[in-house]
Amino acid sequence: MSKKLIGVDLGGTTIKFAILTAEGEIQQKWSVETNVLDEGSHIVPDIIESINHHLDLFGMTPDQFIGIGMGTPGTVDIENGTVEAAFNLNWKEKQELKKQIEEGTGMKFAVDNDANVAALGERWKGAGENDNEVTFVTLGTGVGGGVITNGEMVHGAGAGGEIGHVNVEPGGFLCTCGNKGCLETYASATGVVRVARHMAEEFAGNSELKQMLDNGEEISSKLVFDLAKADDVLAKLVVDKVCYYLGLACANIGSLLNPSFIVIGGGVSAAGSFLLDQVDAYFKKYAFPSVKKTTVLKLAELGNDAGVIGAASLALKFNN
Amino acid sequence: MSKKLIGVDLGGTTIKFAILTAEGEIQQKWSVETNVLDEGSHIVPDIIESINHHLDLFGMTPDQFIGIGMGTPGTVDIENGTVEAAFNLNWKEKQELKKQIEEGTGMKFAVDNDANVAALGERWKGAGENDNEVTFVTLGTGVGGGVITNGEMVHGAGAGGEIGHVNVEPGGFLCTCGNKGCLETYASATGVVRVARHMAEEFAGNSELKQMLDNGEEISSKLVFDLAKADDVLAKLVVDKVCYYLGLACANIGSLLNPSFIVIGGGVSAAGSFLLDQVDAYFKKYAFPSVKKTTVLKLAELGNDAGVIGAASLALKFNN
């Protein structure tokens, strides 16, 4: 029997696990809650215990696996298999993931950050069609992503792929990173709401979105897209602005890297082709002519599975 | 004796040649004029003849070489060793460079476009310190460049590295590519002059640059930088604007790829640290915090030799 992979997607709320074939087919999935108490000190033991428990359950042994791959929030040292500054896990100190998990499970272990791992997943088994040139942009609470060139993840000097911090409006909205005008401040779920609030202030026409904001109701990026689909004038202006910034960023990624695919995922991308078509129009407006013809914008296809699939692919390097 | 490399840098005016060691040390250099007559049909025969002639002259034989690498204008098909759309060479048809040059010289041949080859040169033996993560930006008649990640040139779907067409001012100056606001329209040699003309129109103060423009005198990007160094008020405003666009573009390259070095070369970069320091200030203003700490902006170091050195490095793949 050919050996298998384990993929782990560590998030602030749940830890997702999967057992996959070496070809990336998911055979088993499960998840546990993330216990961030006591400075996150339970997380690594919980991961080890959950893997060992499920191997027992399935009657499997470590020698049947190529290895374990994991995606984690924070700043990852890939060489040493450690992570720092994962604040939503309450990890204040550097975590020796590789050392602990290899000792605890008897399997080889590789790690990268969560956005990179999702990019690897979409590239391998999703919208990236296993191409060597794929950029992934994820529109969630923040905007993240991952860049794959010549079939390899780009880490640069460690912080490659900070797509959310590409500046699309110098002097624009203040970002959590301290700069002004980062893509994240316009195109994340919270960014969309911020754009809506900002544009509502100067908007005088008839709009349900405007009324809701004036009434102090809670709004979400989903609501803004839903209202835009229903022809709300202000909501359409907001979506146009968000898509302009995304299209401009995609055009500049295109001119620089000319990926075969720019894959857009994350919660905001649930707006589907309504979002993608408008982003694509601005992409085509700003991209270099030969890039418009060769770089294709697509929606992500794997949803929540991108993480475990991409994570598992990290362990393929142990396959020999 | 260890085998050597031949590097060829094909330009619209001259063809530069060099014989180098496998470590990238130039041992011989020569050049010939580019004969673009008769639809550029003399160029490839001239290259073959010049190489064969010089090998004779130096008493060397093809078996003493690993191979030939060449940089060329136009759209290069690296796999097949062909080039198209090299308009400044008068090449209207696809050119079978690899086939002809391998047959004509008896040596293996590899080719890439001129900007990529200069990037490889600066990465290998120049300001890139042979790092795996280097982006090269060349400010000449146009703005070009090359992106190296994980030690490999990024071609994407073929047109990777079009740094001059990163959009830094949506709706700005019209570019030869048809878009508006490309970096090239502000930061190339002609772009700097264009910015100067544009800003002079609204400038009312005391400025030699303003006077020269009003008098209809010819100005160059070098003159603008020289006047700025000499404290001309308008020239300083022009340089500030050019450096803003370059700094913004470098910041966005940094946030996306976090290269160890962004190397700035080409004629405009002759302004030296006067240019670099101002670009760096804007880079630091717009780049993601951890990118500011790890991506270093540098001036190119190899000048005209970057092309032949980088070209020669293409042939290293035949070394086995």
PDB file of all heavy atoms in Angstrom, chain A residues 71-107:
ATOM      1  N   GLY A  71      -0.245  23.919   8.611  1.00  0.00           N
ATOM      2  CA  GLY A  71      -0.317  25.367   8.441  1.00  0.00           C
ATOM      3  C   GLY A  71      -0.667  26.002   9.760  1.00  0.00           C
ATOM      4  O   GLY A  71      -1.517  25.484  10.486  1.00  0.00           O
ATOM      5  N   THR A  72      -0.004  27.099  10.096  1.00  0.00           N
ATOM      6  CA  THR A  72      -0.227  27.755  11.378  1.00  0.00           C
ATOM      7  C   THR A  72      -0.232  29.265  11.202  1.00  0.00           C
ATOM      8  O   THR A  72       0.444  29.779  10.311  1.00  0.00           O
ATOM      9  CB  THR A  72       0.883  27.370  12.397  1.00  0.00           C
ATOM     10  OG1 THR A  72       0.704  28.141  13.597  1.00  0.00           O
ATOM     11  CG2 THR A  72       2.272  27.678  11.870  1.00  0.00           C
ATOM     12  N   PRO A  73      -0.990  29.995  12.036  1.00  0.00           N
ATOM     13  CA  PRO A  73      -0.816  31.448  12.054  1.00  0.00           C
ATOM     14  C   PRO A  73       0.571  31.787  12.615  1.00  0.00           C
ATOM     15  O   PRO A  73       1.225  30.916  13.204  1.00  0.00           O
ATOM     16  CB  PRO A  73      -1.901  31.933  13.025  1.00  0.00           C
ATOM     17  CG  PRO A  73      -2.735  30.756  13.355  1.00  0.00           C
ATOM     18  CD  PRO A  73      -1.942  29.532  13.045  1.00  0.00           C
ATOM     19  N   GLY A  74       0.987  33.020  12.431  1.00  0.00           N
ATOM     20  CA  GLY A  74       2.247  33.467  13.020  1.00  0.00           C
ATOM     21  C   GLY A  74       3.396  33.497  12.031  1.00  0.00           C
ATOM     22  O   GLY A  74       3.220  33.247  10.843  1.00  0.00           O
ATOM     23  N   THR A  75       4.562  33.805  12.539  1.00  0.00           N
ATOM     24  CA  THR A  75       5.772  33.898  11.727  1.00  0.00           C
ATOM     25  C   THR A  75       6.527  32.580  11.838  1.00  0.00           C
ATOM     26  O   THR A  75       6.997  32.212  12.914  1.00  0.00           O
ATOM     27  CB  THR A  75       6.661  35.059  12.228  1.00  0.00           C
ATOM     28  OG1 THR A  75       5.879  36.248  12.231  1.00  0.00           O
ATOM     29  CG2 THR A  75       7.871  35.248  11.331  1.00  0.00           C
ATOM     30  N   VAL A  76       6.611  31.882  10.716  1.00  0.00           N
ATOM     31  CA  VAL A  76       7.137  30.516  10.725  1.00  0.00           C
ATOM     32  C   VAL A  76       8.597  30.487  10.297  1.00  0.00           C
ATOM     33  O   VAL A  76       8.988  31.146   9.340  1.00  0.00           O
ATOM     34  CB  VAL A  76       6.302  29.631   9.776  1.00  0.00           C
ATOM     35  CG1 VAL A  76       6.862  28.214   9.723  1.00  0.00           C
ATOM     36  CG2 VAL A  76       4.838  29.601  10.212  1.00  0.00           C
ATOM     37  N   ASP A  77       9.398  29.736  11.020  1.00  0.00           N
ATOM     38  CA  ASP A  77      10.767  29.418  10.592  1.00  0.00           C
ATOM     39  C   ASP A  77      10.698  28.019   9.999  1.00  0.00           C
ATOM     40  O   ASP A  77      10.628  27.022  10.730  1.00  0.00           O
ATOM     41  CB  ASP A  77      11.713  29.478  11.792  1.00  0.00           C
ATOM     42  CG  ASP A  77      13.150  29.131  11.408  1.00  0.00           C
ATOM     43  OD1 ASP A  77      13.364  28.398  10.414  1.00  0.00           O
ATOM     44  OD2 ASP A  77      14.057  29.573  12.131  1.00  0.00           O
ATOM     45  N   ILE A  78      10.707  27.970   8.671  1.00  0.00           N
ATOM     46  CA  ILE A  78      10.473  26.707   7.973  1.00  0.00           C
ATOM     47  C   ILE A  78      11.597  25.706   8.200  1.00  0.00           C
ATOM     48  O   ILE A  78      11.359  24.517   8.410  1.00  0.00           O
ATOM     49  CB  ILE A  78      10.291  26.995   6.471  1.00  0.00           C
ATOM     50  CG1 ILE A  78       8.982  27.771   6.289  1.00  0.00           C
ATOM     51  CG2 ILE A  78      10.268  25.727   5.648  1.00  0.00           C
ATOM     52  CD1 ILE A  78       8.968  28.582   5.045  1.00  0.00           C
ATOM     53  N   GLU A  79      12.831  26.205   8.132  1.00  0.00           N
ATOM     54  CA  GLU A  79      14.010  25.360   8.330  1.00  0.00           C
ATOM     55  C   GLU A  79      13.941  24.618   9.667  1.00  0.00           C
ATOM     56  O   GLU A  79      14.141  23.413   9.742  1.00  0.00           O
ATOM     57  CB  GLU A  79      15.291  26.226   8.369  1.00  0.00           C
ATOM     58  CG  GLU A  79      15.617  26.930   7.083  1.00  0.00           C
ATOM     59  CD  GLU A  79      16.491  26.070   6.191  1.00  0.00           C
ATOM     60  OE1 GLU A  79      17.574  25.670   6.663  1.00  0.00           O
ATOM     61  OE2 GLU A  79      16.089  25.803   5.038  1.00  0.00           O
ATOM     62  N   ASN A  80      13.660  25.409  10.711  1.00  0.00           N
ATOM     63  CA  ASN A  80      13.711  24.842  12.058  1.00  0.00           C
ATOM     64  C   ASN A  80      12.359  24.334  12.556  1.00  0.00           C
ATOM     65  O   ASN A  80      12.286  23.740  13.631  1.00  0.00           O
ATOM     66  CB  ASN A  80      14.270  25.885  13.034  1.00  0.00           C
ATOM     67  CG  ASN A  80      15.704  26.236  12.692  1.00  0.00           C
ATOM     68  OD1 ASN A  80      16.550  25.348  12.536  1.00  0.00           O
ATOM     69  ND2 ASN A  80      15.980  27.528  12.531  1.00  0.00           N
ATOM     70  N   GLY A  81      11.310  24.596  11.800  1.00  0.00           N
ATOM     71  CA  GLY A  81       9.993  24.118  12.200  1.00  0.00           C
ATOM     72  C   GLY A  81       9.470  24.761  13.467  1.00  0.00           C
ATOM     73  O   GLY A  81       8.859  24.104  14.312  1.00  0.00           O
ATOM     74  N   THR A  82       9.722  26.068  13.594  1.00  0.00           N
ATOM     75  CA  THR A  82       9.228  26.798  14.767  1.00  0.00           C
ATOM     76  C   THR A  82       8.293  27.915  14.327  1.00  0.00           C
ATOM     77  O   THR A  82       8.270  28.300  13.156  1.00  0.00           O
ATOM     78  CB  THR A  82      10.396  27.425  15.565  1.00  0.00           C
ATOM     79  OG1 THR A  82      11.057  28.379  14.724  1.00  0.00           O
ATOM     80  CG2 THR A  82      11.386  26.368  16.010  1.00  0.00           C
ATOM     81  N   VAL A  83       7.524  28.441  15.290  1.00  0.00           N
ATOM     82  CA  VAL A  83       6.637  29.570  14.982  1.00  0.00           C
ATOM     83  C   VAL A  83       6.670  30.580  16.126  1.00  0.00           C
ATOM     84  O   VAL A  83       6.831  30.216  17.292  1.00  0.00           O
ATOM     85  CB  VAL A  83       5.194  29.075  14.689  1.00  0.00           C
ATOM     86  CG1 VAL A  83       4.577  28.427  15.910  1.00  0.00           C
ATOM     87  CG2 VAL A  83       4.313  30.208  14.173  1.00  0.00           C
ATOM     88  N   GLU A  84       6.544  31.841  15.744  1.00  0.00           N
ATOM     89  CA  GLU A  84       6.495  32.934  16.717  1.00  0.00           C
ATOM     90  C   GLU A  84       5.333  33.837  16.385  1.00  0.00           C
ATOM     91  O   GLU A  84       4.859  33.869  15.250  1.00  0.00           O
ATOM     92  CB  GLU A  84       7.768  33.791  16.627  1.00  0.00           C
ATOM     93  CG  GLU A  84       8.990  33.151  17.240  1.00  0.00           C
ATOM     94  CD  GLU A  84      10.160  34.104  17.173  1.00  0.00           C
ATOM     95  OE1 GLU A  84      10.835  34.153  16.128  1.00  0.00           O
ATOM     96  OE2 GLU A  84      10.406  34.790  18.184  1.00  0.00           O
ATOM     97  N   ALA A  85       4.941  34.645  17.356  1.00  0.00           N
ATOM     98  CA  ALA A  85       4.013  35.748  17.138  1.00  0.00           C
ATOM     99  C   ALA A  85       2.664  35.306  16.563  1.00  0.00           C
ATOM    100  O   ALA A  85       2.088  35.959  15.710  1.00  0.00           O
ATOM    101  CB  ALA A  85       4.648  36.796  16.205  1.00  0.00           C
ATOM    102  N   ALA A  86       2.172  34.155  17.045  1.00  0.00           N
ATOM    103  CA  ALA A  86       0.832  33.711  16.641  1.00  0.00           C
ATOM    104  C   ALA A  86      -0.130  34.166  17.731  1.00  0.00           C
ATOM    105  O   ALA A  86      -0.492  33.400  18.632  1.00  0.00           O
ATOM    106  CB  ALA A  86       0.809  32.195  16.463  1.00  0.00           C
ATOM    107  N   PHE A  87      -0.549  35.416  17.643  1.00  0.00           N
ATOM    108  CA  PHE A  87      -1.251  36.047  18.758  1.00  0.00           C
ATOM    109  C   PHE A  87      -2.633  35.454  18.994  1.00  0.00           C
ATOM    110  O   PHE A  87      -3.081  35.367  20.123  1.00  0.00           O
ATOM    111  CB  PHE A  87      -1.326  37.558  18.539  1.00  0.00           C
ATOM    112  CG  PHE A  87       0.039  38.174  18.441  1.00  0.00           C
ATOM    113  CD1 PHE A  87       0.492  38.684  17.246  1.00  0.00           C
ATOM    114  CD2 PHE A  87       0.889  38.203  19.558  1.00  0.00           C
ATOM    115  CE1 PHE A  87       1.769  39.235  17.142  1.00  0.00           C
ATOM    116  CE2 PHE A  87       2.165  38.742  19.462  1.00  0.00           C
ATOM    117  CZ  PHE A  87       2.603  39.264  18.251  1.00  0.00           C
ATOM    118  N   ASN A  88      -3.319  35.008  17.932  1.00  0.00           N
ATOM    119  CA  ASN A  88      -4.663  34.479  18.140  1.00  0.00           C
ATOM    120  C   ASN A  88      -4.626  33.065  18.741  1.00  0.00           C
ATOM    121  O   ASN A  88      -5.659  32.495  19.061  1.00  0.00           O
ATOM    122  CB  ASN A  88      -5.519  34.535  16.868  1.00  0.00           C
ATOM    123  CG  ASN A  88      -4.928  33.740  15.736  1.00  0.00           C
ATOM    124  OD1 ASN A  88      -3.738  33.401  15.771  1.00  0.00           O
ATOM    125  ND2 ASN A  88      -5.734  33.427  14.739  1.00  0.00           N
ATOM    126  N   LEU A  89      -3.426  32.496  18.917  1.00  0.00           N
ATOM    127  CA  LEU A  89      -3.287  31.218  19.625  1.00  0.00           C
ATOM    128  C   LEU A  89      -2.771  31.428  21.053  1.00  0.00           C
ATOM    129  O   LEU A  89      -2.527  30.459  21.775  1.00  0.00           O
ATOM    130  CB  LEU A  89      -2.323  30.299  18.866  1.00  0.00           C
ATOM    131  CG  LEU A  89      -2.711  29.955  17.422  1.00  0.00           C
ATOM    132  CD1 LEU A  89      -1.620  29.095  16.787  1.00  0.00           C
ATOM    133  CD2 LEU A  89      -4.052  29.237  17.366  1.00  0.00           C
ATOM    134  N   ASN A  90      -2.563  32.713  21.403  1.00  0.00           N
ATOM    135  CA  ASN A  90      -1.974  33.052  22.719  1.00  0.00           C
ATOM    136  C   ASN A  90      -0.536  32.587  22.869  1.00  0.00           C
ATOM    137  O   ASN A  90      -0.030  32.459  23.986  1.00  0.00           O
ATOM    138  CB  ASN A  90      -2.815  32.478  23.875  1.00  0.00           C
ATOM    139  CG  ASN A  90      -3.906  33.441  24.284  1.00  0.00           C
ATOM    140  OD1 ASN A  90      -3.776  34.646  24.076  1.00  0.00           O
ATOM    141  ND2 ASN A  90      -4.982  32.904  24.862  1.00  0.00           N
ATOM    142  N   TRP A  91       0.129  32.303  21.737  1.00  0.00           N
ATOM    143  CA  TRP A  91       1.531  31.885  21.818  1.00  0.00           C
ATOM    144  C   TRP A  91       2.418  33.119  21.896  1.00  0.00           C
ATOM    145  O   TRP A  91       2.554  33.860  20.925  1.00  0.00           O
ATOM    146  CB  TRP A  91       1.907  31.070  20.561  1.00  0.00           C
ATOM    147  CG  TRP A  91       1.468  29.645  20.628  1.00  0.00           C
ATOM    148  CD1 TRP A  91       1.017  28.970  21.708  1.00  0.00           C
ATOM    149  CD2 TRP A  91       1.451  28.708  19.536  1.00  0.00           C
ATOM    150  NE1 TRP A  91       0.712  27.669  21.380  1.00  0.00           N
ATOM    151  CE2 TRP A  91       0.973  27.477  20.039  1.00  0.00           C
ATOM    152  CE3 TRP A  91       1.790  28.778  18.186  1.00  0.00           C
ATOM    153  CZ2 TRP A  91       0.831  26.336  19.262  1.00  0.00           C
ATOM    154  CZ3 TRP A  91       1.647  27.655  17.396  1.00  0.00           C
ATOM    155  CH2 TRP A  91       1.175  26.441  17.927  1.00  0.00           C
ATOM    156  N   LYS A  92       3.001  33.329  23.049  1.00  0.00           N
ATOM    157  CA  LYS A  92       3.876  34.494  23.212  1.00  0.00           C
ATOM    158  C   LYS A  92       5.335  34.117  22.993  1.00  0.00           C
ATOM    159  O   LYS A  92       6.130  34.937  22.566  1.00  0.00           O
ATOM    160  CB  LYS A  92       3.670  35.117  24.599  1.00  0.00           C
ATOM    161  CG  LYS A  92       2.440  36.038  24.614  1.00  0.00           C
ATOM    162  CD  LYS A  92       1.698  36.001  25.932  1.00  0.00           C
ATOM    163  CE  LYS A  92       0.328  36.637  25.757  1.00  0.00           C
ATOM    164  NZ  LYS A  92      -0.638  36.160  26.754  1.00  0.00           N
ATOM    165  N   GLU A  93       5.671  32.878  23.311  1.00  0.00           N
ATOM    166  CA  GLU A  93       7.057  32.399  23.135  1.00  0.00           C
ATOM    167  C   GLU A  93       7.169  31.609  21.838  1.00  0.00           C
ATOM    168  O   GLU A  93       6.176  31.107  21.310  1.00  0.00           O
ATOM    169  CB  GLU A  93       7.443  31.466  24.304  1.00  0.00           C
ATOM    170  CG  GLU A  93       7.254  32.060  25.668  1.00  0.00           C
ATOM    171  CD  GLU A  93       8.246  33.174  25.939  1.00  0.00           C
ATOM    172  OE1 GLU A  93       9.431  32.985  25.578  1.00  0.00           O
ATOM    173  OE2 GLU A  93       7.844  34.221  26.481  1.00  0.00           O
ATOM    174  N   LYS A  94       8.397  31.452  21.365  1.00  0.00           N
ATOM    175  CA  LYS A  94       8.640  30.622  20.186  1.00  0.00           C
ATOM    176  C   LYS A  94       8.245  29.166  20.478  1.00  0.00           C
ATOM    177  O   LYS A  94       8.553  28.641  21.551  1.00  0.00           O
ATOM    178  CB  LYS A  94      10.128  30.688  19.812  1.00  0.00           C
ATOM    179  CG  LYS A  94      10.448  29.966  18.516  1.00  0.00           C
ATOM    180  CD  LYS A  94      11.932  29.746  18.350  1.00  0.00           C
ATOM    181  CE  LYS A  94      12.628  30.997  17.820  1.00  0.00           C
ATOM    182  NZ  LYS A  94      14.047  30.695  17.487  1.00  0.00           N
ATOM    183  N   GLN A  95       7.528  28.544  19.533  1.00  0.00           N
ATOM    184  CA  GLN A  95       7.048  27.169  19.714  1.00  0.00           C
ATOM    185  C   GLN A  95       7.876  26.198  18.871  1.00  0.00           C
ATOM    186  O   GLN A  95       7.994  26.406  17.663  1.00  0.00           O
ATOM    187  CB  GLN A  95       5.584  27.079  19.277  1.00  0.00           C
ATOM    188  CG  GLN A  95       4.641  28.011  20.018  1.00  0.00           C
ATOM    189  CD  GLN A  95       4.416  27.604  21.456  1.00  0.00           C
ATOM    190  OE1 GLN A  95       4.210  26.424  21.747  1.00  0.00           O
ATOM    191  NE2 GLN A  95       4.474  28.563  22.365  1.00  0.00           N
ATOM    192  N   GLU A  96       8.379  25.157  19.503  1.00  0.00           N
ATOM    193  CA  GLU A  96       9.192  24.149  18.810  1.00  0.00           C
ATOM    194  C   GLU A  96       8.273  23.077  18.227  1.00  0.00           C
ATOM    195  O   GLU A  96       8.224  21.940  18.714  1.00  0.00           O
ATOM    196  CB  GLU A  96      10.197  23.522  19.789  1.00  0.00           C
ATOM    197  CG  GLU A  96      11.180  24.486  20.403  1.00  0.00           C
ATOM    198  CD  GLU A  96      12.354  24.807  19.471  1.00  0.00           C
ATOM    199  OE1 GLU A  96      12.511  24.126  18.429  1.00  0.00           O
ATOM    200  OE2 GLU A  96      13.098  25.748  19.781  1.00  0.00           O
ATOM    201  N   LEU A  97       7.567  23.437  17.160  1.00  0.00           N
ATOM    202  CA  LEU A  97       6.559  22.523  16.620  1.00  0.00           C
ATOM    203  C   LEU A  97       7.169  21.230  16.101  1.00  0.00           C
ATOM    204  O   LEU A  97       6.717  20.127  16.410  1.00  0.00           O
ATOM    205  CB  LEU A  97       5.800  23.204  15.481  1.00  0.00           C
ATOM    206  CG  LEU A  97       5.018  24.470  15.838  1.00  0.00           C
ATOM    207  CD1 LEU A  97       4.374  25.040  14.581  1.00  0.00           C
ATOM    208  CD2 LEU A  97       3.962  24.152  16.877  1.00  0.00           C
ATOM    209  N   LYS A  98       8.192  21.374  15.253  1.00  0.00           N
ATOM    210  CA  LYS A  98       8.770  20.209  14.588  1.00  0.00           C
ATOM    211  C   LYS A  98       9.317  19.210  15.616  1.00  0.00           C
ATOM    212  O   LYS A  98       9.013  18.012  15.562  1.00  0.00           O
ATOM    213  CB  LYS A  98       9.896  20.670  13.648  1.00  0.00           C
ATOM    214  CG  LYS A  98      10.598  19.557  12.872  1.00  0.00           C
ATOM    215  CD  LYS A  98      11.693  20.168  11.984  1.00  0.00           C
ATOM    216  CE  LYS A  98      12.656  19.135  11.485  1.00  0.00           C
ATOM    217  NZ  LYS A  98      12.073  18.258  10.465  1.00  0.00           N
ATOM    218  N   LYS A  99      10.095  19.724  16.541  1.00  0.00           N
ATOM    219  CA  LYS A  99      10.719  18.870  17.547  1.00  0.00           C
ATOM    220  C   LYS A  99       9.641  18.102  18.344  1.00  0.00           C
ATOM    221  O   LYS A  99       9.678  16.874  18.451  1.00  0.00           O
ATOM    222  CB  LYS A  99      11.547  19.754  18.495  1.00  0.00           C
ATOM    223  CG  LYS A  99      12.395  19.008  19.504  1.00  0.00           C
ATOM    224  CD  LYS A  99      13.364  19.979  20.168  1.00  0.00           C
ATOM    225  CE  LYS A  99      14.166  19.280  21.260  1.00  0.00           C
ATOM    226  NZ  LYS A  99      13.331  18.850  22.391  1.00  0.00           N
ATOM    227  N   GLN A 100       8.658  18.823  18.854  1.00  0.00           N
ATOM    228  CA  GLN A 100       7.633  18.199  19.692  1.00  0.00           C
ATOM    229  C   GLN A 100       6.756  17.218  18.916  1.00  0.00           C
ATOM    230  O   GLN A 100       6.468  16.122  19.389  1.00  0.00           O
ATOM    231  CB  GLN A 100       6.739  19.276  20.322  1.00  0.00           C
ATOM    232  CG  GLN A 100       7.441  20.159  21.339  1.00  0.00           C
ATOM    233  CD  GLN A 100       6.468  21.174  21.941  1.00  0.00           C
ATOM    234  OE1 GLN A 100       5.561  20.828  22.689  1.00  0.00           O
ATOM    235  NE2 GLN A 100       6.643  22.435  21.595  1.00  0.00           N
ATOM    236  N   ILE A 101       6.339  17.633  17.714  1.00  0.00           N
ATOM    237  CA  ILE A 101       5.384  16.787  16.991  1.00  0.00           C
ATOM    238  C   ILE A 101       6.082  15.556  16.408  1.00  0.00           C
ATOM    239  O   ILE A 101       5.519  14.462  16.390  1.00  0.00           O
ATOM    240  CB  ILE A 101       4.624  17.619  15.921  1.00  0.00           C
ATOM    241  CG1 ILE A 101       3.739  18.648  16.645  1.00  0.00           C
ATOM    242  CG2 ILE A 101       3.783  16.728  15.002  1.00  0.00           C
ATOM    243  CD1 ILE A 101       2.958  19.597  15.759  1.00  0.00           C
ATOM    244  N   GLU A 102       7.337  15.691  15.971  1.00  0.00           N
ATOM    245  CA  GLU A 102       8.071  14.506  15.498  1.00  0.00           C
ATOM    246  C   GLU A 102       8.296  13.520  16.642  1.00  0.00           C
ATOM    247  O   GLU A 102       8.126  12.304  16.471  1.00  0.00           O
ATOM    248  CB  GLU A 102       9.407  14.919  14.856  1.00  0.00           C
ATOM    249  CG  GLU A 102       9.203  15.597  13.495  1.00  0.00           C
ATOM    250  CD  GLU A 102      10.472  15.760  12.677  1.00  0.00           C
ATOM    251  OE1 GLU A 102      11.582  15.650  13.250  1.00  0.00           O
ATOM    252  OE2 GLU A 102      10.349  16.007  11.455  1.00  0.00           O
ATOM    253  N   GLU A 103       8.672  14.049  17.814  1.00  0.00           N
ATOM    254  CA  GLU A 103       8.859  13.168  18.975  1.00  0.00           C
ATOM    255  C   GLU A 103       7.554  12.512  19.406  1.00  0.00           C
ATOM    256  O   GLU A 103       7.512  11.340  19.756  1.00  0.00           O
ATOM    257  CB  GLU A 103       9.449  13.962  20.157  1.00  0.00           C
ATOM    258  CG  GLU A 103      10.946  14.229  20.010  1.00  0.00           C
ATOM    259  CD  GLU A 103      11.495  15.108  21.140  1.00  0.00           C
ATOM    260  OE1 GLU A 103      10.754  15.311  22.148  1.00  0.00           O
ATOM    261  OE2 GLU A 103      12.626  15.585  20.999  1.00  0.00           O
ATOM    262  N   GLY A 104       6.473  13.315  19.352  1.00  0.00           N
ATOM    263  CA  GLY A 104       5.187  12.850  19.878  1.00  0.00           C
ATOM    264  C   GLY A 104       4.465  11.870  18.963  1.00  0.00           C
ATOM    265  O   GLY A 104       3.609  11.105  19.416  1.00  0.00           O
ATOM    266  N   THR A 105       4.782  11.906  17.661  1.00  0.00           N
ATOM    267  CA  THR A 105       4.029  11.056  16.727  1.00  0.00           C
ATOM    268  C   THR A 105       4.907  10.012  16.030  1.00  0.00           C
ATOM    269  O   THR A 105       4.388   9.067  15.434  1.00  0.00           O
ATOM    270  CB  THR A 105       3.379  11.898  15.595  1.00  0.00           C
ATOM    271  OG1 THR A 105       4.421  12.520  14.823  1.00  0.00           O
ATOM    272  CG2 THR A 105       2.464  12.962  16.165  1.00  0.00           C
ATOM    273  N   GLY A 106       6.225  10.233  16.037  1.00  0.00           N
ATOM    274  CA  GLY A 106       7.115   9.324  15.308  1.00  0.00           C
ATOM    275  C   GLY A 106       7.047   9.512  13.803  1.00  0.00           C
ATOM    276  O   GLY A 106       7.461   8.632  13.040  1.00  0.00           O
ATOM    277  N   MET A 107       6.534  10.664  13.362  1.00  0.00           N
ATOM    278  CA  MET A 107       6.486  10.946  11.921  1.00  0.00           C
ATOM    279  C   MET A 107       7.227  12.247  11.624  1.00  0.00           C
ATOM    280  O   MET A 107       7.375  13.096  12.497  1.00  0.00           O
ATOM    281  CB  MET A 107       5.027  11.049  11.451  1.00  0.00           C
ATOM    282  CG  MET A 107       4.315   9.698  11.461  1.00  0.00           C
ATOM    283  SD  MET A 107       2.590   9.812  10.951  1.00  0.00           S
ATOM    284  CE  MET A 107       1.799  10.223  12.513  1.00  0.00           C
TER     285      MET A 107
END
